[in-house]
Amino acid sequence: MIANLVQLAAEEKQNPLVPPGPELLVGTIAFAIVFFFFWKKLLPNINKVLEERRDAIEGGIEKAEAAQTEAQSVLEQYRAQLAEARHEAARLRQEAQEQGAALIAEMRAEGQRQREEIVAAGHAQIEADRKAASSALRQDVGKLATDLAGKLVGESLEDHARQSRVIDRFLDDLEEKAEAGR
């Protein structure tokens, strides 16, 4: 027990933070061996892995930036194509409206022309019918007047030339009086 107390007292004199000399020497040699092993073997492998990782990250960032740039250019192209398509659609709509308006105007003009042709044909037909009716009326009136005059006079008035002149003069006088009365 005393020996233990002496040893404890000897240990108490020694600073607990400073290791004994032989332990310090063995610890320093062990540290140098481990440090040398790390420096020669492990540190280059760690640096190599870190360098590869850094390159991969930088490459990934560059690829991402390139992809983003490409996506941006594709987006701009899409927007340009979309704007062009909208412009083309507006142009086609405008052309269709113009063509529709031109077609409507053309159809109106054609309808107007056809109406005028129909009216002109109607006027011509009316005029032809009026002349035919006038001629037929002259003949009928002349025949009736000649028959009536022949019955009044008591003789036949069959001379056609004289008959036509008398009838024409009579009817012309009637037409002049009718026009003067208007």
Side-chain angles (χ1 to χ4, degrees):
M1 260 208 165
I2 296 183
N4 282 340
L5 287 175
V6 173
Q7 191 177 12
L8 280 176
E11 286 179 15
E12 281 184 24
K13 290 181 189 173
Q14 190 177 13
N15 188 355
L17 293 177
V18 178
E23 280 184 23
L24 186 61
L25 181 65
V26 170
T28 304
I29 292 173
F31 178 75
I33 291 172
V34 170
F35 180 76
F36 183 76
F37 174 75
F38 276 119
W39 185 56
K40 283 292 190 184
K41 295 287 182 184
L42 202 56
L43 190 59
N45 288 339
I46 291 174
N47 284 337
K48 181 181 173 187
V49 169
L50 289 176
E51 186 69 28
E52 288 174 358
R53 192 171 198 189
R54 185 178 57 83
D55 290 343
I57 290 172
E58 287 177 358
I61 290 173
E62 289 173 0
K63 286 179 185 176
E65 288 174 353
Q68 186 176 8
T69 304
E70 183 180 345
Q72 189 66 29
S73 70
V74 168
L75 178 63
E76 291 301 321
Q77 288 175 351
Y78 169 74
R79 286 180 179 165
Q81 288 175 348
L82 183 61
E84 184 179 328
R86 286 180 179 159
H87 178 68
E88 182 69 17
R91 185 185 62 78
L92 290 175
R93 245 189 330 266
Q94 182 65 27
E95 284 181 7
Q97 288 174 347
E98 290 172 359
Q99 288 176 353
L103 186 61
I104 289 171
E106 183 180 318
M107 295 305 278
R108 282 183 181 160
E110 179 66 20
Q112 183 70 19
R113 186 189 60 75
Q114 287 178 356
R115 183 184 67 86
E116 289 172 359
E117 286 178 0
I118 291 170
V119 167
H123 285 297
Q125 183 66 36
I126 289 171
E127 185 62 28
D129 288 348
R130 187 187 65 77
K131 285 182 181 178
S134 175
S135 175
L137 183 63
R138 279 181 185 252
Q139 287 176 358
D140 288 345
V141 167
K143 176 122 175 80
L144 288 173
T146 307
D147 290 346
L148 184 61
K151 286 183 184 177
L152 286 176
V153 172
E155 26 180 293
S156 175
L157 301 173
E158 290 295 324
D159 184 14
H160 288 295
R162 190 179 341 146
Q163 201 178 51
S164 289
R165 283 192 309 266
V166 170
I167 292 170
D168 286 340
R169 191 172 18 131
F170 175 71
L171 290 176
D172 288 341
D173 287 343
L174 282 178
E175 284 178 3
E176 287 176 11
K177 288 179 184 176
E179 288 178 8
R182 285 185 190 171

